[in-house]
């Protein structure tokens, strides 16, 4: 028989937040939602309140600001989570500004407790608690009075079986000595920072007693629907549910290329397709997805360089329109890797997709907010690891400058991230540029080492003869066999 107290977790209604908290907000807990001005604290508090409030679970929202609650609600009503029918029924707003003018903590606490007794809420919010802290700094009782106020408030709310949220503006969690940081059961930190010309919002669960929260800093966005949080992909998460047949191969949609790869690309592999501008990378990516649809395998494409209508063939656009290939909207810049990965994983699960195309890595890097670009290799590693662990086969295109006499396979030094590499390039022959394709590596598989000509026609890529008779002439030096 277990002697553990069963603590119910409340679903917050904020996408991604429950995952960070370890399953939701512990019922009857005393929490602090803190952070920099404008970071979205009040919006997230309202989102949580309207999601949880009901006739059986009523909510009290205390404002300590000089402005009336109606002014604040005018803006919050723009969000779809705002339900006006709950006002004064399941949700009550109370302004404490007048009670705080003389800095009498006992009076403020008495007013809060009177309202709690009258309304019997299960949820209590105090915004902005920072105003209470600032009032304490000018009082004779100072920090000691504030600490006593916080402790009494916490004990009273717990005795009334209420889950409490204090919302306050702070500059940095580690720089604050406020007693509320010690007394709080949970601390959620929100911030926004400007890096060059990009605005990035981040959230961190600093503390959550009694449950294992998701560590680290995560990104979030305030959209028309409210706060959306994108938890960082944790590579340590178990992936044992995915079973991949080691012998299963996926066709690239080009029979000759499949033969060069030893029978196609192994399922669950990451394939890096490299080549200069105009060499046919997007054409081959299109054939890869089209072949999957032909075999009943749904696909997803994240097109970072241009809009899908500009980038893809009419044939693939028809598949997109039919719902057999999904498209990730990447027109918004200043994205985070977690936001992109969230959208990819959601669409993959919804469509049960087996093939994913990322076109291209250079466009992907530009789509990231500038503050994330320094960690591009790490971000790409996490994304590839998560997608392939799902059993998805990933094709990534990367543009390389063709220097003719030099063979390179990645402009980012990311070749090690891929399980297979296919290279496209140009050669000059008899006064013409000719396209050439080769399989550089397919991990744990035999593959052709030939370089072969290929053409692009109305049906896509058609592979021709080998370049073996021209070796040593095309580049001005012998073409060395790739390592590995």
């Amino acid at each position: 028989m277990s002697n553990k107290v069963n603590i119910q977790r409340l679903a917050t209604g904020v996408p991604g937040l429950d995952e960070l908290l370890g399953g939701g907000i512990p019922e009857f807990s005393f929490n602090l939602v803190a952070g920099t001005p404008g970071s979205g604290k009040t919006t997230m508090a309202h989102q949580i309140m309207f999601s949880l409030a009901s006739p059986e679970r009523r909510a009290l929202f205390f404002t300590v600001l000089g402005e009336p609650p109606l002014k604040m609600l005018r803006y919050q009503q723009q969000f779809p989570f705002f339900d006006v029918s709950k006002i004064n029924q399941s949700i009550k707003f109370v302004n404490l500004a007048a009670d705080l003018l003389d800095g009498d903590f006992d009076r403020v606490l008495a007013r809060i407790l009177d309202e709690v007794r009258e309304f019997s809420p299960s949820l209590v919010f105090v915004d902005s608690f920072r105003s209470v802290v600032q009032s304490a700094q000018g009082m004779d009782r100072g920090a000691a009075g504030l600490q006593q106020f916080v402790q009494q408030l916490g004990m009273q709310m717990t005795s009334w079986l209420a889950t409490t949220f204090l919302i306050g503006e702070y500059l940095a969690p580690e720089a604050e000595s406020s007693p509320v940081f010690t007394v709080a059961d949970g601390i959620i930190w929100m911030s926004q920072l400007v890096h060059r010309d990009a605005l990035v919002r981040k959230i961190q669960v600093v503390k959550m007693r009694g449950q294992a929260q998701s560590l680290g800093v995560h990104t979030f966005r305030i959209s028309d629907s409210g706060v959306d949080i994108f938890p960082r992909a944790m590579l340590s998460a178990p992936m044992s549910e995915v079973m991949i047949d080691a012998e299963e191969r996926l066709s690239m949609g080009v029979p000759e290329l499949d033969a060069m790869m030893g029978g196609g690309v192994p399922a669950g592999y990451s394939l890096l397709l490299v080549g200069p501008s105009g060499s046919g990378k997007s054409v081959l990516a299109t054939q890869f997805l089209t072949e999957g649809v032909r075999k009943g395998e749904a696909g997803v494409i994240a097109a970072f360089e241009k809009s899908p209508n500009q980038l893809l063939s009419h044939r693939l656009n028809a598949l997109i329109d039919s719902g057999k290939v999904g498209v990730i909207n990447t027109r918004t810049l200043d994205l985070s890797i977690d936001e992109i990965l969230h959208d990819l994983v959601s669409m993959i699960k919804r469509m049960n997709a087996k093939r994913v195309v990322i076109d291209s890595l250079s466009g992907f890097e530009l789509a990231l907010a500038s503050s994330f670009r320094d960690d591009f290799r790490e971000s790409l590693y996490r994304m590839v690891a998560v997608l392939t662990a799902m059993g998805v086969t990933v094709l990534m295109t990367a543009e390389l400058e063709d220097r003719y006499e030099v063979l390179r396979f990645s402009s980012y030094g990311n070749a090690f991230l891929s399980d297979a590499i296919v290279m496209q390039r140009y050669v000059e022959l008899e006064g013409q540029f000719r396209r050439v394709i080769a399989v550089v590596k397919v991990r744990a598989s035999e593959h052709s080492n030939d370089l072969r000509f290929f053409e692009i026609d109305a049906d896509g890529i058609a592979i021709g003869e080998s370049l073996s008779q021209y070796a040593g002439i095309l580049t001005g030096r012998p073409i060395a066999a790739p390592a590995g």
Side-chain angles (χ1 to χ4, degrees):
M1 179 177 177
S2 175
N3 294 322
K4 291 184 178 180
V5 176
N6 183 27
I7 299 178
Q8 181 180 353
R9 296 186 178 101
L10 306 178
T12 62
V14 179
L17 181 57
D18 292 347
E19 183 177 343
L20 297 193
L21 297 173
I25 287 283
E27 192 173 27
F28 313 139
S29 59
F30 193 71
N31 305 283
L32 175 64
V33 180
T36 55
S39 56
K41 303 180 296 299
T42 300
T43 297
M44 190 173 78
H46 277 87
Q47 197 166 345
I48 294 172
M49 179 175 65
F50 277 95
S51 174
L52 289 174
S54 66
E56 296 76 27
R57 185 190 287 131
R58 299 199 284 183
L60 260 177
F61 198 103
F62 293 99
T63 60
V64 195
L65 306 173
E67 60 183 11
L70 286 177
K71 183 178 179 182
M72 175 184 60
L73 294 179
R74 177 184 179 187
Y75 296 102
Q76 294 299 318
Q77 288 181 37
Q78 309 306 312
F79 294 108
F81 59 75
F82 190 95
D83 186 352
V84 70
S85 66
K86 292 186 177 183
I87 304 298
N88 295 326
Q89 299 297 322
S90 301
I91 296 174
K92 182 179 179 181
F93 288 87
V94 178
N95 195 337
L96 296 176
D99 299 276
L100 194 62
L101 285 178
D102 58 4
D104 188 345
F105 285 149
D106 294 334
R107 177 180 172 184
V108 175
L109 182 61
R111 175 73 188 282
I112 291 175
L113 297 182
D114 286 343
E115 294 288 349
V116 169
R117 291 188 187 98
E118 180 183 344
F119 197 65
S120 298
S122 299
L123 304 165
V124 175
F125 297 80
V126 182
D127 184 15
S128 156
F129 189 74
R130 182 63 167 174
S131 301
V132 180
V133 176
Q134 290 172 338
S135 296
Q137 295 173 349
M139 295 174 53
D140 294 336
R141 296 169 62 189
L146 175 63
Q147 183 170 5
Q148 182 180 4
F149 171 80
V150 171
Q151 290 174 339
Q152 288 182 339
L153 179 62
M155 288 188 297
Q156 291 288 351
M157 292 302 104
T158 302
S159 67
W160 280 95
L161 300 181
T163 307
T164 307
F165 299 83
L166 307 184
I167 301 122
E169 294 180 357
Y170 296 87
L171 297 179
E174 64 277 2
E176 295 293 338
S177 58
S178 172
V180 69
F181 280 81
T182 303
V183 175
D185 300 312
I187 300 175
I188 301 173
W189 188 264
M190 304 176 73
S191 64
Q192 62 178 2
L193 53 93
V194 177
H195 187 272
R196 297 178 183 174
D197 58 348
L199 175 66
V200 178
R201 288 188 166 98
K202 296 187 177 182
I203 188 169
Q204 177 186 6
V205 180
V206 179
K207 173 184 179 182
M208 189 56 62
R209 287 174 176 158
Q211 56 196 53
Q213 69 269 22
S214 181
L215 301 177
V217 178
H218 310 262
T219 58
F220 73 96
R221 184 177 291 272
I222 300 178
S223 65
D224 292 339
S225 59
V227 173
D228 292 296
I229 300 172
F230 309 101
R232 294 182 66 221
M234 304 305 290
L235 301 183
S236 59
M239 297 292 182
S240 56
E241 298 180 3
V242 178
M243 300 297 294
I244 302 174
D245 185 353
E247 300 299 322
E248 183 182 358
R249 300 264 182 158
L250 303 184
S251 172
M252 296 293 297
V254 183
E256 295 84 357
L257 180 57
D258 291 341
M260 293 173 66
M261 299 182 72
V265 58
Y269 266 33
S270 58
L271 168 63
L272 183 62
L273 176 59
V274 298
S277 177
S279 60
K281 300 184 296 298
S282 295
V283 174
L284 183 53
T286 297
Q287 288 186 247
F288 173 70
L289 289 174
T290 304
E291 178 66 14
V293 171
R294 191 183 71 83
K295 293 190 172 183
E297 299 166 354
V300 173
I301 182 168
F304 290 96
E305 292 191 344
K306 299 179 182 178
S307 68
N309 289 334
Q310 295 172 309
L311 182 66
L312 305 177
S313 67
H314 294 297
R315 177 173 52 181
L316 189 50
N317 274 322
L319 295 176
I320 293 172
D321 293 339
S322 69
K324 297 177 181 178
V325 171
V327 181
I328 297 296
N329 179 16
T330 59
R331 288 191 173 188
T332 302
L333 298 180
D334 299 338
L335 300 171
S336 71
I337 176 64
D338 300 300
E339 186 170 355
I340 295 169
L341 185 56
H342 172 272
D343 292 345
L344 274 171
V345 170
S346 297
M347 184 170 287
I348 288 168
K349 290 181 177 179
R350 185 170 67 251
M351 299 183 63
N352 193 26
K354 301 298 182 183
R355 302 181 182 219
V356 171
V357 167
I358 298 170
D359 192 9
S360 69
L361 293 185
S362 56
F364 175 33
E365 183 179 19
L366 289 175
L368 292 176
S370 55
S371 59
F372 295 107
R373 292 173 193 165
D374 293 338
D375 301 322
F376 179 66
R377 294 182 74 211
E378 176 192 350
S379 299
L380 185 61
Y381 172 77
R382 288 197 293 118
M383 183 177 70
V384 170
V386 170
L387 294 179
T388 54
M390 295 175 64
V392 175
T393 305
V394 183
L395 187 154
M396 304 171 288
T397 70
E399 185 165 324
L400 291 178
E401 179 185 356
D402 199 333
R403 298 182 179 177
Y404 301 103
E405 76 279 3
V406 177
L407 283 177
R408 296 183 303 143
F409 308 125
S410 174
S411 58
Y412 300 95
N414 291 322
F416 76 96
L417 295 176
S418 57
D419 302 305
I421 299 176
V422 173
M423 176 194 67
Q424 296 174 335
R425 66 174 306 183
Y426 294 112
V427 296
E428 184 181 352
L429 180 63
E430 297 176 348
Q432 291 184 328
F433 278 127
R434 300 283 302 275
R435 293 183 176 93
V436 172
I437 193 168
V439 178
V440 177
K441 78 171 183 180
V442 180
R443 207 166 262 162
S445 174
E446 294 185 357
H447 61 85
S448 171
N449 291 321
D450 289 343
L451 285 89
R452 297 179 64 174
F453 290 114
F454 73 94
E455 302 289 342
I456 300 177
D457 56 27
D459 295 324
I461 286 178
I463 296 180
E465 62 180 336
S466 171
L467 275 72
S468 58
Q469 58 183 316
Y470 301 105
I473 299 175
L474 299 173
T475 63
R477 64 179 64 183
I479 299 177

